[in-house]
């Protein structure tokens, strides 16, 4: 019992088993049947609860209805956390209901208990008046007494809390409190705004003008220069500052004097004071106390000093002037004078008294310069010009840089108004001599000074104005050109001196020489006396330009019994040359007539001219003619002196053109000649008239074999050739040109 299949309650039940046999014998045993309760109860909480706070408290006592509890087994219990009937704070509190059965199974639910704060703060302001200084911020704590709230005041403010000058005195302010629930309340009280700021005292420095009765009283504010208070209007509009001064009355006894006045400035709103001092001048502009000033002038004369300056003072002019009221100032319209003011100057004198009254007069100030200039002369050497004369210049004898005057004339340092000295023209007669020249300088005021210049005269070396120096080609160590206008006391026939390192024997396609030239346009010529030559050749040349390789004709002498002539008929072509015998050819001449150039020589100034070379060389209308020098030593130098140089261009009268015997020859049959013949090392092939077409000259031996060949050019009159390397014997020279001319000549080589 109980029987199997019965309903067992939860917990442990002891079951007894009894066995009975047929004899009625029995036996028993027991077993425990335990039934466990594993099913949780079910709990349902009541609805959320909302209530107001209990009066004066920040909470409320709330009784919570019992929850609904269901369980498979009876006897389940519950409890609230926090417990029902507790005091709940303002706000929402979560309350948990928990149930448990006898088997320990549990369940829970929650209910929200909300307590609302519906009470505003209780405001209590201070009853007494609260003092606050101007410019300070009023704090709520300064006006709050014991304001409270059932919970707590979260914000406390006072309005207004800032006060300006317009709020001085009593003001009603409102104190406002607010709690966390947003409830607010106010109370009011009174604050007294007070000004504890002293004013800023600022003075001016005025002038007191005496009035007609001779006594002037000014208000203390007369000395105010902009004083200020924090509240300029004070407690009432139109107020603000009060002034008092240590001195406000002035009379004639104070005229012209300066006084220090103390100004006291008091703020009407604060009652505090500040001070400053004013410097006061007493004036009498209407001369109530004294007569106006009187200007009395006198003319004066002043002297410029060593710097060219003069200065005057008002006393120099107006020493007899008066200012009975007291002198304030004396002024001049001009008190400083310089060199440009020499002579009379009008100056106005003005006197002013302490009242500001003025009077004036006009005088004449005469400025004088009585200081002499300082003249400095030059010791100089002058060179005669190519015409053998030199006109003395001011710049030769006067030193303007080191000369001086207290009043320099013009912008040049040391310049004076005039410089004078005896006019002088030096000639070759004065060459090598020295002369004293007195120079007188005068300044604008007529002051003078003298100095003496030493002038040394030398013959010049500059080439005459129409001559140019031209180094043609390579001049070696260089060239020098000089002209002595005083040779034999004949300036029109001075000597040219030329030296050069130009070596001109080879190559023959260019030139290396010294050449001083004048232009030649059209017909004309040049002649000269070769006075000396060393180290090379000196002579005359007509050439198309100064470029190396230009077409040219030249004749040279080395003052032996030799004449050298050179010709180039093609620009940059070969230069033909030969050396001829002539007895001391000291005088040379070149003449250009059309395209013909002829060379002459003579051995004395009275001898006759001998034509020894002519060439047909077409050139430009305007060419160069002049004196040429070159050295025969590649490392040496040639030196030559030319005298009696005359030249002519298009009919000038300086050159005696040879007579009509040397005019252009008439057309004749062309012929050729070889000279010298017999020849040793070289020969010249000369034609009776210039070739009119190019060709060749062929040298044949006795067997008819060609051993030399030379080119012929249109215009050739002569060509030079050499025989070096050929054995002595008879040769034939055949000349032929493309226009049909042909001629064969015999030539014997020694």
């Amino acid at each position: 019992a109980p029987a199997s299949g019965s309903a067992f309650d939860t917990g442990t039940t002891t079951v007894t088993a009894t066995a009975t046999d047929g004899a009625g014998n029995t036996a028993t045993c027991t077993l425990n049947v335990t039934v466990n309760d594993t099913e949780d109860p079910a709990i349902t909480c009541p609805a959320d609860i909302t209530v107001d706070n209990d009066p004066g408290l920040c909470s409320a006592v709330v009784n919570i209805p019992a929850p609904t509890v269901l369980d498979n087994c009876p006897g389940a219990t519950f409890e609230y956390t926090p417990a029902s009937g507790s005091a709940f704070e303002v706000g929402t509190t979560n309350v948990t209901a928990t149930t448990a059965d006898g088997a320990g199974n549990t369940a829970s639910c929650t209910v929200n208990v909300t307590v609302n704060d519906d009470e505003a703060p209780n405001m209590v302001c201070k009853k007494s008046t609260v003092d606050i200084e101007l410019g300070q911020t009023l704090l709520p704590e300064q006006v709050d007494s014991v304001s409270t709230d059932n919970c707590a005041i979260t914000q406390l403010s006072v309005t207004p809390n800032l006060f300006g000058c317009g709020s001085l005195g009593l003001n009603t302010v409102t104190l406002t409190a607010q709690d966390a629930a947003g409830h607010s309340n106010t109370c009011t009280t009174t604050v007294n705004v007070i000004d504890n700021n002293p004013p800023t005292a600022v003075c001016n420095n005025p002038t007191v003008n005496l009035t007609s009765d001779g006594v002037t009283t000014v208000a203390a504010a007369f000395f105010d220069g902009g004083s200020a208070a924090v509240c300029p209007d004070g407690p009432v509009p139109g107020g603000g500052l009060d002034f008092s001064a240590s001195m406000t009355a002035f009379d004639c006894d104070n005229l012209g004097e300066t006084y220090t006045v103390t100004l006291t400035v008091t703020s009407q709103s604060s009652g505090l004071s500040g001070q400053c001092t004013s410097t006061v001048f007493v004036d009498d502009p209407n001369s109530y106390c004294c007569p106006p000033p009187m200007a009395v002038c006198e003319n004066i004369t002043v002297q410029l000093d060593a710097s060219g300056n003069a200065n005057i003072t008002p006393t120099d002019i107006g020493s007899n002037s008066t200012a009975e009221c007291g002198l304030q100032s004396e002024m001049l319209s001009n008190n400083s004078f310089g060199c440009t003011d020499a002579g009379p100057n009008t100056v106005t004198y003005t006197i002013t008294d302490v009242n500001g009254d003025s009077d004036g007069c006009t005088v004449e100030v005469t400025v004088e310069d009585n200081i002499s200039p300082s003249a400095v002369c030059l010791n100089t050497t002058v060179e005669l010009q190519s015409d053998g004369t030199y006109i003395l210049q001011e710049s030769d004898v006067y030193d303007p840089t080191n000369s001086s005057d207290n009043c320099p004339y013009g912008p040049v340092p040391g310049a004076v108004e005039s410089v004078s000295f005896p006019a002088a023209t030096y000639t070759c007669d004065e060459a090598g001599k020295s002369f004293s020249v007195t120079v007188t300088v005068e300044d604008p005021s007529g002051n003078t000074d003298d100095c003496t210049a030493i002038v040394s005269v030398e013959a010049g070396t500059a080439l005459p104005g129409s001559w140019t120096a031209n180094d043609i080609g390579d001049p070696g160590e260089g060239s020098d050109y000089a002209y002595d206008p005083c040779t034999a006391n004949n300036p029109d026939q001075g000597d040219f001196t030329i030296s050069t390192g130009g070596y001109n024997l080879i190559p023959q396609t260019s030139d290396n020489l010294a050449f001083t030239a004048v232009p030649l346009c059209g017909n004309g010529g040049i002649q000269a006396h070769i006075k000396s030559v060393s180290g090379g050749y000196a002579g005359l040349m007509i050439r198309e330009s100064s470029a190396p390789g230009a077409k040219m004709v030249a004749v040279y002498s080395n003052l032996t019994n030799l004449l050298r002539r050179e010709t180039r008929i093609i620009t940059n072509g070969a230069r033909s040359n030969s050396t001829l015998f002539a007895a001391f050819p000291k005088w040379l001449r070149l003449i250009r007539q059309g395209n013909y150039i002829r060379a002459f020589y003579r051995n004395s100034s009275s001898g006759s001219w001998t034509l020894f070379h002519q060439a047909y060389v077409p050139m430009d209308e305007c060419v160069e003619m002049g004196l040429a020098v070159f050295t025969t030593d590649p490392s040496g130098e040639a030196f030559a002196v030319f005298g009696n140089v005359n030249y002519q261009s298009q009919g000038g009268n300086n050159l005696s053109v040879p007579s009509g015997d040397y005019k252009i020859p008439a057309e004749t049959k062309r012929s050729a000649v070889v000279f010298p013949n017999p020849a040793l090392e070289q020969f010249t092939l000369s034609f009776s008239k210039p070739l009119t077409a190019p060709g060749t000259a062929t040298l044949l031996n006795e067997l008819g074999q060609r051993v030399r060949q030379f080119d012929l050019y249109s215009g050739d009159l002569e060509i030079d050739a050499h025989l070096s390397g050929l054995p002595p014997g008879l040769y034939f020279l055949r000349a032929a040109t493309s226009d049909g001319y042909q001629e064969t000549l015999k030539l014997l080589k020694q």
Side-chain angles (χ1 to χ4, degrees):
S4 175
S6 300
F8 290 86
D9 290 327
T10 57
T12 301
T13 301
T14 301
V15 179
T16 301
T18 302
T20 303
D21 62 13
N25 298 312
T26 63
T28 65
C29 64
T30 62
L31 62 90
N32 292 326
V33 176
T34 301
V35 178
N36 293 323
D37 182 4
T38 60
E39 184 176 341
D40 291 333
I43 187 169
T44 301
C45 285
D48 291 342
I49 300 172
T50 299
V51 297
D52 292 333
N53 65 291
D54 292 338
L57 299 177
C58 194
S59 63
V61 175
V62 180
N63 293 310
I64 305 172
T68 301
V69 178
L70 298 176
D71 192 46
N72 59 327
C73 295
T77 62
F78 74 90
E79 64 178 1
Y80 281 113
T81 303
S84 176
S86 299
F88 289 86
E89 299 292 333
V90 170
T92 298
T93 302
N94 292 325
V95 179
T96 302
T98 303
T99 183
D101 60 14
N105 298 306
T106 64
S108 63
C109 64
T110 60
V111 59
N112 292 325
V113 177
T114 300
V115 179
N116 292 326
D117 179 10
D118 67 348
E119 290 188 25
N122 180 35
M123 302 302 298
V124 180
C125 289
K126 290 182 177 179
K127 300 301 182 181
S128 60
T129 299
V130 177
D131 290 336
I132 184 169
E133 291 187 14
L134 186 70
Q136 290 184 343
T137 300
L138 181 64
L139 301 176
E141 293 80 3
Q142 292 177 271
V143 298
D144 182 37
S145 180
V146 287
S147 298
T148 60
D149 187 66
N150 60 317
C151 289
I153 295 175
T154 60
Q155 182 177 340
L156 193 63
S157 61
V158 61
T159 56
N161 64 346
L162 292 175
F163 304 92
C165 292
S167 301
L168 290 172
L170 299 178
N171 296 267
T172 299
V173 297
T174 299
L175 179 66
T176 301
Q178 185 173 349
D179 61 15
H183 302 300
S184 62
N185 203 356
T186 63
C187 64
T188 60
T189 190
T190 302
V191 296
N192 181 31
V193 180
I194 59 177
D195 181 8
N196 288 329
N197 298 291
T200 300
V202 178
C203 289
N204 65 1
N205 298 313
T207 296
V208 174
N209 294 320
L210 295 176
T211 54
S212 58
D213 58 0
V215 177
T216 299
T217 301
V218 297
F222 178 76
F223 307 104
D224 178 41
S227 301
V230 172
C231 292
D233 288 339
V236 293
L241 295 174
D242 293 324
F243 299 96
S244 63
S246 61
M247 182 178 183
T248 57
F250 304 89
D251 56 27
C252 288
D253 292 338
N254 306 125
L255 181 63
E257 299 296 331
T258 299
Y259 297 92
T260 299
V261 176
T262 300
L263 176 67
T264 301
V265 181
T266 303
S267 170
Q268 292 178 355
S269 61
S270 68
L272 300 176
S273 299
Q275 289 185 335
C276 60
T277 57
S278 175
T279 300
V280 182
F281 178 73
V282 181
D283 195 6
D284 183 16
N286 298 309
S287 302
Y288 293 130
C289 298
C290 55
M294 182 174 65
V296 179
C297 294
E298 59 180 338
N299 297 330
I300 63 172
T301 298
V302 296
Q303 308 295 326
L304 295 176
D305 61 19
S307 299
N309 298 310
N311 296 288
I312 61 175
T313 65
T315 305
D316 295 331
I317 291 176
S319 60
N320 294 322
S321 301
T322 59
E324 294 185 17
C325 284
L327 177 65
Q328 177 176 299
S329 66
E330 293 177 286
M331 298 183 63
L332 298 175
S333 60
N334 184 16
N335 66 344
S336 179
F337 304 91
C339 295
T340 58
D341 300 313
N345 298 267
T346 300
V347 176
T348 299
Y349 166 84
T350 302
I351 184 172
T352 303
D353 66 11
V354 295
N355 295 323
D357 292 329
S358 299
D359 191 26
C361 54
T362 300
V363 298
E364 186 175 274
V365 177
T366 302
V367 178
E368 294 181 349
D369 174 20
N370 294 323
I371 298 178
S372 297
S374 175
V376 178
C377 285
L378 296 172
N379 295 328
T380 187
T381 298
V382 299
E383 293 186 350
L384 300 177
Q385 303 299 306
S386 58
D387 63 355
T389 65
Y390 184 83
I391 299 175
L392 190 63
Q393 305 294 313
E394 179 182 309
S395 59
D396 297 327
V397 294
Y398 176 61
D399 183 357
T401 300
N402 293 309
S403 298
S404 62
D405 185 52
N406 64 323
C407 288
Y409 182 77
V412 180
V416 293
E417 186 168 278
S418 67
V419 178
S420 61
F421 56 93
T425 299
Y426 301 111
T427 66
C428 292
D429 292 337
E430 284 78 41
K433 300 177 182 178
S434 296
F435 303 90
S436 296
V437 177
T438 299
V439 179
T440 300
V441 298
E442 182 176 351
D443 68 11
S445 297
N447 303 306
T448 62
D449 189 32
D450 294 339
C451 62
T452 300
I454 305 301
V455 179
S456 299
V457 181
E458 294 183 357
T461 61
L463 295 177
S466 57
W467 290 78
T468 59
N470 306 284
D471 284 348
I472 299 178
D474 181 6
E477 295 297 325
S479 303
D480 290 317
Y481 304 83
Y483 179 75
D484 183 355
C486 296
T487 303
N489 197 26
N490 186 2
D492 293 331
Q493 292 283 291
D495 284 352
F496 289 81
T497 300
I498 303 174
S499 63
T500 185
Y503 174 67
N504 200 49
L505 293 181
I506 55 176
Q508 296 184 344
T509 55
S510 62
D511 310 287
N512 301 302
L513 49 91
F515 182 51
T516 179
V518 292
L520 169 61
C521 294
N523 295 330
I526 185 170
Q527 69 183 38
H529 174 206
I530 312 301
K531 299 179 73 172
S532 67
V533 60
S534 62
Y537 280 91
L540 309 178
M541 177 181 291
I542 296 176
R543 63 187 297 126
E544 197 165 42
S545 72
S546 294
K551 290 187 284 186
M552 61 86 187
V553 175
V555 56
Y556 295 99
S557 172
N558 63 359
L559 296 185
T560 65
N561 289 332
L562 294 178
L563 273 174
R564 179 181 175 86
R565 56 93 179 153
E566 296 181 352
T567 304
R568 180 184 293 111
I569 62 174
I570 298 175
T571 300
N572 295 323
R575 181 182 72 241
S576 65
N577 60 81
S578 63
T579 304
L580 308 176
F581 174 81
F584 300 104
K586 297 180 179 179
W587 293 75
L588 301 177
R589 171 184 281 185
L590 279 180
I591 299 294
R592 182 194 192 196
Q593 289 179 294
N595 291 327
Y596 284 89
I597 298 177
R598 297 177 176 85
F600 303 82
Y601 77 91
R602 65 184 181 186
N603 54 19
S604 69
S605 60
S606 59
S608 60
W609 291 101
T610 300
L611 173 67
F612 73 95
H613 178 61
Q614 63 179 354
Y616 180 81
V617 187
M619 298 186 193
D620 293 337
E621 172 69 12
C622 290
V623 296
E624 298 178 359
M625 65 179 174
L627 314 176
V629 178
F630 67 89
T631 178
T632 54
D633 181 354
S635 301
E637 182 180 35
F639 181 89
V641 178
F642 298 81
N644 304 99
V645 178
N646 289 331
Y647 61 92
Q648 173 200 49
S649 178
Q650 291 288 27
N653 57 13
N654 287 337
L655 179 67
S656 299
V657 180
S659 66
D661 295 341
Y662 304 107
K663 291 182 179 179
I664 300 173
E667 285 292 329
T668 59
K669 183 178 179 180
R670 181 180 291 107
S671 61
V673 64
V674 176
F675 63 88
N677 194 2
L680 183 60
E681 292 295 334
Q682 64 182 35
F683 66 90
T684 299
L685 173 60
S686 178
F687 299 100
S688 60
K689 62 180 182 177
L691 299 179
T692 57
T696 58
T698 306
L699 186 65
L700 307 173
N701 60 19
E702 289 181 296
L703 301 178
Q705 297 171 327
R706 184 178 66 184
V707 295
R708 293 278 196 280
Q709 183 167 303
F710 313 99
D711 290 329
L712 301 177
Y713 299 96
S714 178
D716 275 355
L717 196 59
E718 291 181 342
I719 65 169
D720 299 316
H722 66 90
L723 297 171
S724 59
L726 295 178
L730 179 63
Y731 292 86
F732 300 93
L733 182 62
R734 184 170 61 201
T737 60
S738 60
D739 61 353
Y741 167 70
Q742 184 172 323
E743 187 169 358
T744 302
L745 304 170
K746 291 182 179 180
L747 174 62
L748 182 63
K749 181 180 186 302
Q750 294 179 331

